[in-house]
Amino acid sequence: MTPLRALPLLPLLLVLAGGARAAEPGCRAEARVEPDNAVAGQQVLYRVRVMRPDDVVRVEWAEPPAFAHARAEALPPDPRGDVREEGVLYHVHDELRALFAESSGRLSLGGAVLRCVTSAGAVQDLRVGAVSLEVRPFPENSRPPEFTGVVGPLWLHLVVTPERVALGETVRVALLARGGGNLWLLGSPLADSALRGADVFAQPPALELERGRELYVRQHFAWDVVPRKTGRLLIPRLRVSYFDPETGVYREAETQEVQVTVERPAGAPLPPRREAEAVLPQPARSSRGAWIALAVAGALGGAAACWRLRPRGEDLAATALAEASRLRAAGDEAGALAAQSRALRAALARHVPNAQALDSEELEARASQPAARAAAALLASLERARFRPGSPAPEPAEIERAVRALGRGRGFAASSPVLLLFVLGLSAAGCASDPAKRDAPMTPARLETELREHAADLEVVDGQMRFTFGGVRMMSFFDVHYDRMRIVAAVTEESALTVMTARILLQANYGKTYDARYAIGDGMLWAVYVHPLTTLDPRDLESALTQVAKLVRNFGTSYSAGGK
């Protein structure tokens, strides 16, 4: 074909060439590291910003980026807003990697090829250049001898369950270390020799990676500890030295020490007496004295059914008032109000049967003496101040006068062993058949009384009852308006849960947790028992406390409210 004959085809060739160029994908990409200066083990973000036009339907790595002398963990792509440049609309996202340099020096990172494919099948291979990272060494100045290269920030969370065990039982010590650095270098912070008087069985540590816009690293440690002697077992402070790249200084993360009470197993024989503790011979008793002793012992045995609701004496009221004064002087107003409540109830018990289990309105209705009715009204005002924030509390002098007024009278006096036996026998029979004990509605005051008999270290703070049961710290909340109460105990941080653990918890809630449940709230996993307040049976309360304690202790093993 001569040149002259080819001239008419030139415009067509130019159009076809222009169409081919228009069909090219036209992707753009740019790589960088953040920050570009770090220490070994510090998390560095490798970011490739990818911009693709509308007709590009797929972007993939033809040659993935390479990271010599650094550990790399892939992170989910991070979508960004669309941008328009030179009249072309680009969809933008960031390809992310979390990098952890393994040695100091200048590193060249990346060097990859992106492939962009259009809906028409056109392909563009786009080379992404390498980037440089300056890795500086750790400062030698003030470097702790126990430092192993762990980079922070770092948080430690220790859970010890239970905090009260019988000799031979197992204590689970669990430690969660969480941070954004190279926590896989973290060794066991608890040495076997640190727990004297106990056998320590370390469980294999578990590493978890939480992938988001950056990487969070969780390292789980667990030890099963079996005490060899009764008394106090001290779980010492656990410490980890790490380097803080933000401040450029070495720091130390630590936990609080925890004391575990180790008791003698139920039914175990007492230890043999030492020679100095031998029982001395007792003088012979007269037959009359033996008869009186047997009669009193029998009467006390018959009154055992009423022991939980026994009348409190004036001495208990005085003791509670003294405790209230001490707590008030120490600045513990909530504790002082609780002690004043105990003082009034102890004084009222001399005049009103079953005073410890009745609410203030019932006490006022059953009181026959003016002093007792006045004390019951004062108790109602006091409990409103305790359980309804903002309500005024009675003056301490008013409560002391009411207790003294009730102390002047006497409920009864036994002038002979026979009369004592008779009265105690009647009290026991009446208590065993008292329907008020079983059927009276549960109130906040009665709930506090019941919890004091089952639990330890009870305190009322901002309307919450906080206490210890079975070595587990718990809280009880209630709402009189909606007639609900709940008992809760912290198990572990929500961040420590995995998808698999969450599935196990849901399965446990279906068939293994009895009346209690596992639940998540405020960043924590809780063991929870919920019940209407007024219909809560005191006989079921101890079961509820036991279930909550077992859910805490059995987390990570059986996840059950039964068993140990």
Side-chain angles (χ1 to χ4, degrees):
M1 181 182 297
T2 64
L4 291 176
R5 295 180 62 184
L7 285 175
L9 299 176
L10 184 59
L12 178 62
L13 294 175
L14 292 175
V15 169
L16 292 175
R21 285 194 299 272
E24 291 180 357
C27 289
R28 300 183 182 183
E30 179 185 7
R32 65 177 184 270
V33 289
E34 305 166 357
D36 58 4
N37 189 292
V39 294
Q42 178 183 348
Q43 183 173 166
V44 173
L45 197 62
Y46 173 79
R47 183 189 304 271
V48 177
R49 178 148 297 176
V50 180
M51 303 171 59
R52 65 175 181 84
D54 250 344
D55 60 339
V56 172
V57 295
R58 190 170 76 250
V59 178
E60 59 190 9
W61 291 107
E63 295 179 15
F67 306 102
H69 308 294
R71 175 169 178 163
E73 297 290 342
L75 301 178
D78 184 15
R80 295 287 174 171
D82 295 345
V83 298
R84 186 176 296 275
E85 293 185 3
E86 300 177 358
V88 179
L89 179 67
Y90 290 95
H91 305 290
V92 184
H93 77 276
D94 290 348
E95 291 284 334
L96 302 176
R97 300 289 188 275
L99 304 182
F100 303 84
E102 297 172 345
S103 58
S104 58
R106 189 172 185 84
L107 301 182
S108 179
L109 304 172
V113 176
L114 271 174
R115 177 164 294 163
C116 299
V117 182
T118 69
S119 57
V123 177
Q124 175 194 14
D125 284 345
L126 181 65
R127 179 161 295 279
V128 181
V131 294
S132 295
L133 173 66
E134 190 68 34
V135 184
R136 61 185 186 274
F138 292 110
E140 293 296 332
N141 185 30
S142 69
R143 179 171 178 168
E146 63 275 10
F147 176 68
T148 59
V150 175
V151 176
L154 174 64
W155 298 271
L156 298 180
H157 179 68
L158 179 69
V159 177
V160 178
T161 53
E163 295 184 12
R164 182 181 296 271
V165 295
L167 187 64
E169 293 182 344
T170 301
V171 177
R172 169 58 67 98
V173 179
L175 178 70
L176 167 65
R178 184 175 185 267
N182 54 348
L183 296 194
W184 45 84
L185 295 183
L186 180 60
S188 173
L190 179 64
D192 294 353
S193 58
L195 296 179
R196 298 179 180 178
D199 295 321
V200 180
F201 303 92
Q203 304 301 314
L207 182 72
E208 294 181 356
L209 304 180
E210 181 181 332
R211 304 174 192 270
R213 291 191 176 182
E214 58 183 305
L215 188 73
Y216 280 100
V217 184
R218 295 196 297 266
Q219 184 78 286
H220 297 266
F221 297 93
W223 302 267
D224 289 329
V225 179
V226 182
R228 293 196 300 264
K229 61 181 180 180
T230 59
R232 296 284 183 179
L233 174 65
L234 181 66
I235 309 298
R237 296 176 185 268
L238 303 183
R239 297 181 171 89
V240 175
S241 294
Y242 67 93
F243 182 76
D244 185 358
E246 292 188 3
T247 60
V249 299
Y250 295 98
R251 298 189 182 278
E252 187 177 71
E254 68 173 356
T255 65
Q256 295 295 321
E257 66 181 19
V258 179
Q259 285 193 352
V260 177
T261 302
V262 184
E263 302 171 331
R264 188 171 57 88
L270 291 172
R273 295 178 182 270
R274 297 193 299 269
E275 197 65 33
E277 296 175 344
V279 178
L280 298 177
Q282 300 293 322
R285 298 177 179 176
S286 65
S287 59
R288 181 185 176 193
W291 183 89
I292 293 175
L294 289 175
V296 172
L300 291 176
C306 204
W307 180 252
R308 290 177 64 233
L309 300 174
R310 66 193 185 279
R312 308 291 182 175
E314 187 179 359
D315 55 335
L316 293 184
T319 301
L321 285 178
E323 182 184 3
S325 298
R326 178 183 61 80
L327 292 172
R328 189 177 298 103
D332 185 0
E333 189 62 29
L337 293 178
Q340 289 174 339
S341 176
R342 294 197 298 273
L344 282 172
R345 288 186 176 274
L348 281 165
R350 289 189 171 276
H351 303 269
V352 182
N354 204 25
Q356 296 287 12
L358 300 177
D359 61 25
S360 53
E361 289 77 9
E362 290 177 304
L363 279 170
E364 191 171 0
R366 296 190 185 191
S368 59
Q369 299 181 9
R373 287 196 296 271
L378 198 61
L379 178 63
S381 176
L382 177 63
E383 291 183 347
R384 280 194 298 271
R386 294 184 61 205
F387 301 116
R388 297 180 189 174
S391 300
E395 292 295 328
E398 283 187 88
I399 296 174
E400 292 176 7
R401 285 195 297 269
V403 169
R404 286 198 300 269
L406 291 172
R408 294 193 186 103
R410 293 292 182 265
F412 64 88
S415 58
S416 70
V418 177
L419 180 58
L420 176 63
L421 173 62
F422 177 73
V423 172
L424 288 176
L426 290 179
S427 300
C431 182
S433 60
D434 183 9
K437 176 185 175 184
R438 300 191 305 271
D439 303 326
M442 182 64 71
T443 64
R446 188 180 179 198
L447 177 61
E448 180 188 359
T449 300
E450 294 290 339
L451 286 174
R452 287 192 184 278
E453 296 186 6
H454 291 293
D457 305 326
L458 189 145
E459 57 180 354
V460 180
V461 180
D462 296 331
Q464 304 173 8
M465 299 179 191
R466 304 176 182 178
F467 53 91
T468 301
F469 180 87
V472 177
R473 193 65 179 165
M474 302 183 186
M475 295 180 290
S476 178
F477 309 88
F478 52 85
D479 190 314
V480 178
H481 179 71
Y482 291 103
D483 190 26
R484 306 299 296 179
M485 64 79 62
R486 68 180 60 191
I487 299 169
V488 303
V491 180
T492 188
E493 290 182 335
E494 181 183 354
S495 60
L497 303 179
T498 64
V499 174
M500 181 58 69
T501 304
R503 181 179 177 86
I504 293 172
L505 293 175
L506 289 175
Q507 291 174 335
N509 279 348
Y510 182 75
K512 302 175 75 174
T513 61
Y514 299 175
D515 302 314
R517 292 291 183 270
Y518 287 111
I520 292 174
D522 299 327
M524 293 292 296
L525 173 68
W526 304 89
V528 184
Y529 175 86
V530 182
H531 198 279
L533 175 63
T534 56
T535 58
L536 179 65
D537 193 319
R539 293 169 295 184
D540 295 333
L541 181 60
E542 186 171 6
S543 174
L545 296 171
T546 301
Q547 291 176 37
V548 171
K550 287 184 177 180
L551 287 188
V552 174
R553 291 197 293 264
N554 292 337
F555 174 77
T557 54
S558 67
Y559 299 91
S560 172
K564 292 185 178 180

